[in-house]
Amino acid sequence: QVRVVESGGGLVQPGGSLRLSCVVSGSIFNIFAMGWYRQAPGKQRELAATISSAGFTNYADAVKGRFTITRDNTRNMVILQMNSLKPEDMAVYYCYARVLVTPDGDSEDYWGQGTQVTVSS
């Protein structure tokens, strides 16, 4: 069993900051990519940011320069620091991890339940 648990969402005013954290636990041999996707009401889930096991990052154009993704491989944790938040950043943010459970198996994507980020004055 692999668990993906997010924390850190909430209400923030435009221009404010939030820090999302995600911890992956359970039967894990290795974790490859980790990242954050988001889904606003009435819209499809979209990529926000991802980070490889080596630390290479990828950001959606909409968040570049404002969001920073980092990971701590010793704690199986990924963090999304969100600054200068805008109303259009409001969404449910989902953490995901590409996990290898056994060395001879295939990696699979595991998702958290999501955490709500609300940007409003």
Side-chain angles (χ1 to χ4, degrees), residues 38 46-48 59-67 86 88-89:
R38 63 185 186 179
E46 64 178 13
L47 178 145
Y59 295 95
D61 288 342
V63 308
K64 281 180 181 176
R66 300 186 298 120
F67 291 11
K86 304 175 181 180
E88 51 263 44
D89 294 317

Side-chain angles (χ1 to χ4, degrees), residues 10 14 24 26 34 38 41-42 55 62 68 74 82-84 89 93 118 120-121:
V24 182
M34 302 180 81
R38 63 185 186 179
T68 301
T74 65
M82 305 184 294
N83 298 329
S84 303
D89 294 317
Y93 283 70
T118 301
S120 175
S121 55

Side-chain angles (χ1 to χ4, degrees), residues 57-116:
T57 58
N58 181 42
Y59 295 95
D61 288 342
V63 308
K64 281 180 181 176
R66 300 186 298 120
F67 291 11
T68 301
I69 187 169
T70 57
R71 68 187 279 174
D72 182 344
N73 292 329
T74 65
R75 298 166 67 187
N76 294 340
M77 175 183 286
V78 61
I79 294 169
L80 187 66
Q81 178 66 43
M82 305 184 294
N83 298 329
S84 303
L85 282 160
K86 304 175 181 180
E88 51 263 44
D89 294 317
M90 185 162 61
V92 177
Y93 283 70
Y94 296 91
C95 175
Y96 98 100
R98 181 156 293 173
V99 179
L100 187 65
V101 174
T102 59
D104 57 348
D106 295 324
S107 61
E108 295 183 35
D109 288 343
Y110 291 86
W111 293 85
Q113 293 297 309
T115 185
Q116 176 70 48

